[in-house]
């Protein structure tokens, strides 16, 4: 069996497991350990140097079956990441919270991002895709005392996220809401905007942001290309008349990379 065939079979197996795990979430932590193990294995797979070499060979394939497999994996793994955050929030609230390999990798990503994305106490930061365990808002608010707003389209995630903030970030200037960009008053005052890597519509929303935000706003789009695109939505071209790419922060050993944009 060739390395490429083995690689493809591994991806199909991951997809089957993600699909099955997505159907098991019942609002408890009953299936938490199983999903934690799966996502930790997938994290190692996506960041493996050996797998990156095989991916380069696979990139030459343009079959509809291969493109569909990649799209399905991206969608299902993103859904399971959202579930994983709910499990972590529930475990924290039950007094059983612990870090997994995946969350350690993500928090390391955020630390690196924070170093290249300076935020002061007078900043106003918007996170798009805050999830049920809002690590980024907590980190920013703790470090800088800046005001942070997180938005998400999942009401359950918003409520769990609020419970997490009440437990870990009491007194910090953090709000979580389910609101669209155009209906969010905070957007006019935002100095920094961060897009989570698993937000599918992030580049459409970036286009929308241009008319809604201040001239000097800085936008960080978390993304994953190549092998990482199986766990993140990839980078896209932007309207050069609206946005310019200021910097790319590539993190070979981490789950996602970061593209920093400023208005053109």
């Amino acid at each position: 069996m060739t390395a490429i065939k083995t690689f493809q079979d591994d991806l199909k197996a991951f997809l089957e497991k993600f699909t099955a795990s997505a159907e098991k979430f019942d609002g408890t932590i009953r299936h938490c350990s199983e999903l934690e193990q799966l996502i930790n294995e997938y994290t190692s797979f996506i960041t493996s140097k050996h797998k990156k070499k095989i991916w380069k060979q696979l990139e030459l394939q343009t079959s509809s079956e291969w493109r569909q497999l990649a799209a399905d994996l991206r969608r299902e793994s993103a859904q399971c990441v959202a579930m994983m955050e709910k499990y972590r929030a529930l475990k924290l609230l039950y007094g059983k919270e612990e870090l997994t390999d995946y969350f350690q990798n993500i928090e390391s990503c955020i630390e690196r991002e924070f170093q290249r994305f300076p935020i002061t106490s007078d900043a106003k930061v918007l996170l798009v895709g805050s999830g049920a365990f809002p690590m980024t808002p907590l980190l920013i608010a703790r470090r800088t005392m800046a005001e942070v707003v997180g938005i998400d389209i999942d009401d359950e995630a918003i409520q769990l996220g609020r419970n997490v903030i009440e437990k870990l970030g009491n007194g910090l200037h953090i709000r979580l809401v389910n609101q669209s960009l155009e209906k969010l008053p905070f957007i006019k005052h935002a100095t920094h905007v961060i897009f989570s890597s698993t937000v599918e519509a992030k580049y459409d929303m970036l286009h929308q942001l241009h008319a809604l935000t201040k001239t000097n706003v800085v936008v960080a789009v978390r993304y994953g290309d190549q092998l990482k695109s199986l766990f993140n939505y990839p980078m896209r071209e932007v309207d050069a008349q609206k946005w310019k790419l200021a910097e790319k922060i590539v993190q070979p050993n981490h789950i996602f990379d970061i593209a920093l944009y400023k208005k053109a």
Side-chain angles (χ1 to χ4, degrees):
M1 183 179 291
T2 66
I4 289 181
K5 180 64 166 59
T6 301
F7 185 93
Q8 290 177 315
D9 288 344
D10 288 342
L11 292 184
K12 290 176 182 177
F14 274 123
L15 178 59
E16 289 179 3
K17 292 176 183 178
F18 279 130
T19 302
S21 294
E23 296 172 352
K24 291 181 180 179
F25 182 74
D26 59 3
T28 73
I29 61 172
R30 186 164 47 149
H31 302 290
C32 179
S33 297
E34 177 184 339
L35 183 59
E36 284 178 354
Q37 181 178 348
L38 174 59
I39 290 186
N40 285 343
E41 290 174 0
Y42 199 55
T43 298
S44 297
F45 188 95
I46 295 302
T47 55
S48 164
K49 292 182 180 179
H50 173 65
K51 297 296 190 297
K52 288 175 186 176
K53 294 178 182 178
I54 301 174
W55 170 268
K56 288 182 179 179
Q57 300 175 52
L58 258 175
E59 277 188 309
L60 300 175
Q61 295 196 20
T62 58
S63 70
S64 58
E65 180 184 3
W66 165 242
R67 291 197 302 271
Q68 189 61 53
L69 174 60
D72 290 345
L73 258 173
R74 190 181 304 122
R75 183 189 65 251
E76 293 297 327
S77 62
Q79 184 176 351
C80 284
V81 164
M83 286 172 47
M84 181 89 152
E85 292 191 2
K86 291 180 180 180
Y87 282 134
R88 187 182 183 188
L90 289 168
K91 287 176 73 173
L92 173 73
L93 300 175
Y94 294 158
K96 300 179 179 180
E97 203 266 337
E98 57 188 25
L99 278 180
T100 67
D101 293 345
Y102 168 77
F103 281 118
Q104 288 175 330
N105 191 295
I106 291 296
E107 293 188 2
S108 180
C109 287
I110 296 171
E111 287 283 355
R112 177 89 184 276
E113 179 182 43
F114 193 80
Q115 294 170 9
R116 308 288 284 274
F117 192 61
I119 296 172
T120 59
S121 59
D122 59 350
K124 296 185 182 297
V125 185
L126 173 67
L127 174 65
V128 181
S130 52
F133 203 101
M135 293 181 284
T136 299
L138 283 166
L139 176 63
I140 291 174
R142 280 177 185 159
R143 292 280 186 87
T144 69
M145 298 307 293
E147 182 180 1
V148 186
V149 172
I151 62 174
D152 204 288
I153 60 174
D154 184 339
D155 285 329
E156 184 178 32
I158 290 289
Q159 188 54 57
L160 283 170
R162 288 171 177 168
N163 293 340
V164 169
I165 288 169
E166 185 177 350
K167 190 173 181 69
L168 298 181
N170 190 27
L172 298 177
H173 302 294
I174 304 174
R175 288 187 294 119
L176 303 180
V177 296
N178 183 349
Q179 280 186 296
S180 59
L181 292 177
E182 68 273 11
K183 294 182 179 179
L184 184 69
F186 183 79
I187 195 66
K188 295 183 295 184
H189 310 288
T191 57
H192 300 74
V193 180
I194 303 170
F195 283 96
S196 294
S197 66
T198 53
V199 174
E200 183 175 4
K202 58 194 174 190
Y203 275 95
D204 295 328
M205 297 173 78
L206 177 64
H207 178 81
Q208 183 184 10
L209 269 182
H210 189 271
L212 300 173
T213 51
K214 300 169 66 169
T215 302
N216 61 345
V217 68
V218 180
V219 182
V221 177
R222 297 171 179 172
Y223 72 96
D225 285 343
Q226 301 174 351
L227 184 58
K228 292 182 184 181
S229 70
L230 297 177
F231 212 178
N232 309 273
Y233 287 94
M235 190 175 179
R236 281 173 35 187
E237 292 293 327
V238 297
D239 184 343
Q241 294 185 333
K242 292 186 175 181
W243 297 101
K244 64 178 179 180
L245 178 63
E247 184 180 2
K248 283 173 67 175
I249 304 170
V250 178
Q251 310 179 106
N253 299 320
H254 293 93
I255 292 296
F256 60 75
D257 301 313
I258 302 141
L260 297 181
Y261 295 95
K262 296 182 179 180
K263 288 190 175 181

